[in-house]
Amino acid sequence: MFQFFLILLVITSLAFPAKAETPSGPDAPTGSFARLLDKLRQHPEIAAYAQRAEASGNYAEGELGLPDPMLEAQVQDYPIGNSSSSGSEEKMIGFKQEIPAFGTRGARSEKGQAESRKNRLLGEYAFASMKAKLIVTLANRQRIGEQEKILDQQAGLFKSERASLKGRISANQAGASQLSLSQADSTEVEIMRAGLMEEKHEAEAMLTNMLGEIPEVSPPPVERAAWDSNPDRTYPVKVAGEDVAMAQKDVDLREAEYGPRFEVRADYGRFNNSDNAVTAMVGVSIPIWAEASQAPRLSGAKAALSSAKFDQDMARRNVIEKLNHLKAQIDTSAKKIELLEHKESLLSASSGAQTREYEAGKAEFVLPLKTRREALSVRYQLAAERAKRIALIADFNHYFVDGETR
């Protein structure tokens, strides 16, 4: 019987897993991940932002043009009733061009350019968010694979424990209740396996949504971006900055509308006595009703500008709060990983000592099996914590603007 238990112990020792390593360095699948990023840029959400940015830019360019001129044709002084004034009859053809107040077209165009920059920033921010989501999903798939292997090893240890308990029960060294308890504990493995299967299906659905495929690619190595507590290089603050720019251009537009509008008109015609005539006219608007019309609009634009500035300041505060919290979570996760790795090494050493004690007849076979299960549980937590840290770093990094956006 002793040799039987010893053989089982050797088998479980061989099944004890080596420490997993996160892919990094030159062997990391960066090329494959780069291909996924190319596919990610084709996602409808990202493409829609690009089209909105292009549309806003085209609208802004169109604002610089003048209104279309008006072509006119007229015949004047038809005789009515007994009138004999046909000698003053004239036929004219000409055009009329309206000219908006100086500065209004430029202000509208610059407001549209700011909207185009905002849409481009929103597109880049959406891509950064989706890239972070992709990294998190790949990390979770990798974590699920590692945890499934750990559960397989746990199931193997429970099987060895049940075999040991059956032998001890036959030798009147253990009770049937211990076997029932071991069987009950082993069902937890299947419950956890079912949970992992559910997470796996969810991750695959997310990958299909983002990429149109389920790639077999490991997450790339990630490092936390440098954080100097300057929120102005983050997407939310820059997007809010473009809102401020648009509000400022709206103020400029309302101020420019105080200026006069012009109208240029030229006509050429001929009288019925064959005399030719040319007329020219320049008209200018008089801002008599400015206090009733332009002034309220200008006050509203200034209030909107003040509101946009407050919104940007709020965005700065929110970003600082969020990034400081994420940084603390990342640091805490790194500490937890370190502690779990230390605990795993201690359990591994304890398992080795217990194995030697068992071989010397100083310990029961169930004790090293229990220690191995505890070590596998720690490895299960370790896989989850490593994936969590990757997710936190990806979330942290996606806030920062990558490169020049203007």
Side-chain angles (χ1 to χ4, degrees):
M1 186 65 67
F2 175 82
Q3 291 178 343
F4 172 73
F5 290 153
L6 183 58
I7 292 173
L8 287 176
L9 185 59
V10 171
I11 293 174
T12 53
S13 297
L14 292 174
F16 192 75
K19 180 179 176 180
E21 295 182 357
T22 303
S24 61
D27 295 330
T30 53
S32 298
F33 186 72
R35 181 186 66 82
L36 298 185
L37 292 183
D38 288 338
K39 296 200 69 172
L40 207 60
R41 290 186 178 91
Q42 301 171 20
H43 193 276
E45 180 181 352
I46 308 303
Y49 277 113
Q51 291 301 307
R52 280 194 284 269
E54 182 178 352
S56 300
N58 289 333
Y59 290 147
E61 184 178 351
E63 292 292 350
L64 293 174
L66 288 169
D68 290 335
M70 181 72 71
L71 181 65
E72 299 178 326
Q74 59 182 340
V75 177
Q76 295 182 349
D77 200 18
Y78 274 110
I80 299 176
N82 295 325
S83 173
S84 59
S85 58
S86 61
S88 61
E89 181 183 7
E90 62 182 60
K91 299 176 182 178
M92 307 291 291
I93 186 169
F95 79 96
K96 180 176 67 175
Q97 175 67 62
E98 294 182 0
I99 302 176
F102 293 127
T104 55
R105 289 179 295 147
R108 286 192 179 96
S109 178
E110 290 171 2
K111 181 179 178 181
Q113 291 170 6
E115 183 179 1
S116 179
R117 290 194 300 269
K118 176 183 176 181
N119 284 327
R120 188 167 66 252
L121 279 170
L122 287 172
E124 293 174 0
Y125 191 23
F127 177 77
S129 299
M130 199 169 291
K131 176 183 174 182
K133 182 179 178 181
L134 175 60
I135 292 173
V136 171
T137 307
L138 292 176
N140 279 332
R141 283 197 78 217
Q142 180 175 274
R143 182 261 303 172
I144 290 168
E146 292 176 5
Q147 290 180 328
E148 284 177 334
K149 293 178 182 178
I150 292 170
L151 292 181
D152 288 341
Q153 293 157 5
Q154 284 277 33
L157 292 178
F158 274 115
K159 184 177 180 180
S160 297
E161 183 181 58
R162 288 194 298 272
S164 172
L165 286 171
K166 288 177 181 178
R168 295 181 62 208
I169 291 172
S170 300
N172 292 323
Q173 295 177 353
S177 60
Q178 291 178 278
L179 181 59
S180 298
L181 183 59
S182 177
Q183 290 173 333
D185 289 341
S186 66
T187 59
E188 186 66 27
V189 172
E190 298 308 314
I191 294 173
M192 295 171 70
R193 198 192 304 277
L196 290 180
M197 185 60 65
E198 181 180 354
E199 290 186 72
K200 186 175 183 179
H201 289 323
E202 181 183 9
E204 290 177 349
M206 293 170 66
L207 288 171
T208 302
N209 180 297
M210 289 186 285
L211 305 169
E213 64 174 281
I214 303 174
E216 294 297 332
V217 176
S218 299
V222 292
E223 295 292 339
R224 183 178 63 81
W227 171 232
D228 56 1
S229 298
N230 176 21
D232 288 342
R233 63 189 186 98
T234 62
Y235 281 113
V237 176
K238 282 190 172 291
V239 169
E242 296 303 340
D243 285 332
V244 172
M246 285 191 287
Q248 180 61 63
K249 293 308 173 184
D250 199 38
V251 171
D252 295 343
L253 172 63
R254 301 307 175 184
E255 290 177 341
E257 286 177 342
Y258 272 91
R261 300 185 305 278
F262 295 90
E263 180 180 306
V264 178
R265 180 174 178 177
D267 297 286
Y268 170 81
R270 176 177 293 185
F271 294 98
N272 65 343
N273 58 6
S274 298
D275 290 338
N276 295 329
V278 175
T279 61
M281 182 195 74
V282 176
V284 60
S285 65
I286 303 174
I288 297 177
W289 318 120
E291 288 302 317
S293 58
Q294 281 105 317
R297 293 191 184 101
L298 179 58
S299 297
K302 289 181 176 179
L305 174 59
S306 179
S307 174
K309 289 180 178 178
F310 282 125
D311 288 341
Q312 187 182 33
D313 184 56
M314 195 66 223
R316 288 190 180 99
R317 297 177 183 221
N318 289 339
V319 165
I320 290 173
E321 177 187 0
K322 180 65 176 179
L323 291 180
N324 285 341
H325 183 217
L326 283 172
K327 181 178 180 298
Q329 287 182 294
I330 292 168
D331 293 341
T332 301
S333 181
K335 183 63 177 178
K336 290 170 70 175
I337 290 173
E338 180 183 349
L339 292 172
L340 286 169
E341 289 174 341
H342 180 59
K343 183 177 181 180
E344 181 190 7
S345 66
L346 291 176
L347 287 171
S348 179
S350 176
S351 175
Q354 290 170 350
T355 299
R356 291 189 294 272
E357 291 172 358
Y358 167 73
E359 291 172 347
K362 298 180 180 179
E364 295 181 356
F365 178 65
V366 175
L367 187 58
L369 283 178
K370 180 180 179 182
T371 303
R372 293 180 188 282
R373 289 206 311 271
E374 291 177 1
L376 286 173
S377 296
V378 171
R379 278 186 45 75
Y380 194 92
Q381 297 176 53
L382 192 54
E385 195 62 42
R386 284 173 177 156
K388 177 184 176 182
R389 186 169 185 272
I390 291 175
L392 290 170
I393 293 175
D395 188 18
F396 184 92
N397 289 350
H398 94 276
Y399 280 92
F400 296 93
V401 176
D402 183 15
E404 186 65 30
T405 60
R406 293 179 183 270

